[in-house]
Amino acid sequence: MASEASNGDNHVSSKPPPEPSPLRKAKFFQANMRILITGGAGFIGSHLVDRLMQNEKNEVIVVDNYFTGSKDNLRQWIGHPRFELIRHDVTEPLLIEVDQIYHLACPASPIFYKYNPVKTIKTNVIGTLNMLGLAKRVGARILLTSTSEVYGDPLMHPQDETYWGNVNPIGVRSCYDEGKRVAETLMFDYHRQHGIEIRIARIFNTYGPRMNIDDGRVVSNFIAQAIRDEPLTVQLPGTQTRSFCYVSDMVDGLIRLMEGDNTGPINLGNPGEFTMLELAENVKELINPEVEIVKVENTPDDPRQRKPDITKAKELLGWEPTIKLRDGLPLMEDDFRKRLGIPRK
Ligand SMILES: NC(=O)c1ccc[n+]([C@@H]2O[C@H](COP(=O)([O-])OP(=O)(O)OC[C@H]3O[C@@H](n4cnc5c(N)ncnc54)[C@H](O)[C@@H]3O)[C@@H](O)[C@H]2O)c1
Ligand SMILES: O=c1ccn([C@@H]2O[C@H](COP(=O)(O)OP(=O)(O)O[C@H]3OC[C@@H](O)[C@H](O)[C@H]3O)[C@@H](O)[C@H]2O)c(=O)[nH]1
């Protein structure tokens, strides 16, 4: 049973975790850990697959509806005996026998999550309910990739996990922000009511190779623009800040959280904070000193500042990011140049 002493949190479940399902137990002996990754064909998910597949005791099952993900991200694993890929939408129930669930399925880029907001909130609410139902049935531990967006346009800086946030409940970002907030609530209600073993990561902006070139998020936009000799589009006012974490650091944090004793929520992100103008200047200097920086209109409710307090991750997971922005950007540039077919000049 989770206790304050063992998990460092004040969230105590009244029930022991459910037993693994009889189906899972009735199988012939197997030492393998069977791990489900929803959204595993996406950016972070596919890097998580790579890392988990390195352990020969892991079997990895990915479910994805390919809305923003792609089979191409997983091509090195297709046909591998310890790997399965299933086209499935998490808003539909899933019957499967697994030991752990990394629940990532959800579009993450604002342009994609705003494209069909009703679907985004269904993915967060019904999708998370379905995955919690699965976790309950088979006694699996489940990790949710929540977001810094639960803090909204934060009035506390930097943000620590005790902050309840400043979120517009009826705005164009609410399908995502409020969707993730309900997903966190569902996780804790299943934990308290049914004893489900839960883990919640609040992820701050993460970047790296394999992001969709037209993903729309700021790092991928600026890198693609710099490589294509197009102006870097800084959305007004340009003084808004973000903190950028390289994807290998993020995957390491997610696995530590899943394997540890703490329910979370735990912030995972890089505390290095940059204005969008500073980010553009860094990209210009590192990738294309000739490129122009232009200011363009912003979208409603854009958070003005964001920086994680990662004290909890350091203390409870022994985790902190190792890759600085100026080291991570060139690694992403290499990948984007390969995919765009534009070599360095
Ligand atoms: N990258 C970040 O900066 C960041 C920050 C905070 C939180 N997160 C969270 O991390 C997770 C992964 O983000 P990402 O950056 O890899 O995004 P991504 O868009 O690359 O990946 C999301 C994946 O989920 C799949 N998906 C979406 N809706 C689905 C559905 N209904 N059923 C099945 N699959 C579905 C997509 O096809 C895609 O493969 C998301 O939950 C996101 O909210 C990411
Ligand atoms: O071309 C661009 C794109 C974006 N921006 C700015 O860059 C900042 C970051 O925007 P992004 O679209 O990368 O992402 P956001 O920080 O708004 O949300 C992000 O963080 C939390 C995650 O949960 C979300 O999945 C992720 O999209 C915003 O202030 C935006 O206005 C630009 O200046 N130019």
Side-chain angles (χ1 to χ4, degrees):
M1 183 195 292
S3 71
E4 188 170 354
S6 71
N7 70 12
D9 294 300
N10 291 317
H11 313 289
V12 181
S13 164
S14 57
K15 291 198 176 168
E19 283 286 297
S21 81
L23 263 177
R24 179 76 170 125
K25 279 179 133 180
K27 289 192 70 142
F28 54 86
F29 174 78
Q30 48 178 326
N32 282 5
M33 173 73 80
R34 199 177 294 159
I35 304 172
L36 170 65
I37 306 180
T38 74
F43 162 53
I44 299 178
S46 63
H47 285 278
L48 183 60
V49 171
D50 293 353
R51 187 76 68 83
L52 292 171
M53 284 296 290
Q54 282 167 16
N55 182 341
E56 286 183 6
K57 287 208 179 302
N58 290 341
E59 286 175 31
V60 174
I61 303 173
V62 165
V63 305
D64 205 294
N65 70 352
Y66 307 123
F67 175 48
T68 52
S70 146
K71 279 185 205 169
D72 205 39
N73 289 336
L74 298 167
R75 63 179 179 275
Q76 62 172 315
W77 302 117
I78 290 169
H80 191 289
R82 288 187 287 108
F83 180 76
E84 279 171 66
L85 177 57
I86 304 169
R87 178 189 290 267
H88 176 80
D89 195 303
V90 293
T91 59
E92 301 294 333
L94 179 68
L95 296 176
I96 200 171
E97 304 295 315
V98 292
D99 305 295
Q100 290 184 341
I101 302 168
Y102 285 88
H103 179 38
L104 278 70
C106 178
S109 168
I111 56 170
F112 286 98
Y113 69 62
K114 290 178 197 169
Y115 170 76
N116 185 343
V118 173
K119 181 64 195 248
T120 300
I121 202 151
K122 280 187 183 169
T123 295
N124 278 316
V125 178
I126 302 171
T128 303
L129 268 171
N130 282 334
M131 290 309 115
L132 282 162
L134 172 64
K136 181 175 169 224
R137 188 176 64 82
V138 301
R141 180 178 291 182
I142 177 167
L143 180 151
L144 170 75
T145 50
S146 183
T147 167
S148 54
E149 294 219 12
V150 298
Y151 302 124
D153 186 14
L155 304 176
M156 178 195 230
H157 196 73
Q159 296 80 53
D160 73 31
E161 295 86 349
T162 61
Y163 181 49
W164 289 356
N166 178 37
V167 176
N168 176 357
I170 56 166
V172 290
R173 295 176 87 102
S174 312
C175 58
Y176 185 77
D177 306 9
E178 296 286 26
K180 290 282 186 181
R181 286 165 70 96
V182 175
E184 288 198 12
T185 308
L186 288 168
M187 293 282 285
F188 270 100
D189 284 340
Y190 268 73
H191 175 62
R192 284 183 289 251
Q193 192 174 336
H194 299 299
I196 305 297
E197 290 192 282
I198 59 159
R199 304 287 181 264
I200 297 179
R202 289 190 180 148
I203 299 180
F204 284 64
N205 293 54
T206 301
Y207 70 99
R210 261 186 219 156
M211 282 186 93
N212 277 330
I213 286 169
D214 300 312
D215 179 274
R217 280 177 280 184
V218 69
V219 182
S220 46
N221 271 8
F222 286 179
I223 291 190
Q225 288 162 343
I227 292 174
R228 289 168 164 152
D229 285 321
E230 291 169 2
L232 310 187
T233 51
V234 174
Q235 291 176 355
L236 286 164
T239 49
Q240 69 272 35
T241 65
R242 294 293 188 274
S243 303
F244 299 103
C245 185
Y246 193 70
V247 65
S248 56
D249 282 331
M250 182 54 58
V251 164
D252 182 41
L254 291 173
I255 294 174
R256 281 173 193 245
L257 176 60
M258 177 64 106
E259 297 302 330
D261 294 327
N262 306 284
T263 57
I266 294 195
N267 288 340
L268 294 179
N270 192 323
E273 184 185 10
F274 297 84
T275 67
M276 293 311 100
L277 269 171
E278 285 167 347
L279 176 68
E281 279 151 12
N282 273 286
V283 169
K284 178 180 165 106
E285 186 194 325
L286 290 168
I287 300 180
N288 183 352
E290 309 300 316
V291 83
E292 198 190 338
I293 296 176
V294 294
K295 292 206 175 165
V296 298
E297 276 307 302
N298 204 336
T299 51
D301 294 341
D302 186 39
R304 281 166 292 184
Q305 52 181 0
R306 231 189 242 158
K307 171 186 164 97
D309 179 328
I310 58 163
T311 309
K312 205 168 163 184
K314 281 187 190 162
E315 286 176 5
L316 299 178
L317 307 179
W319 178 87
E320 65 182 309
T322 58
I323 300 186
K324 291 194 196 84
L325 183 65
R326 286 181 67 91
D327 298 328
L329 290 174
L331 301 173
M332 192 163 161
E333 180 193 357
D334 291 342
D335 171 67
F336 269 44
R337 283 197 184 278
K338 250 184 242 147
R339 286 194 282 152
L340 287 167
I342 307 178
R344 281 194 170 77
K345 288 175 194 159

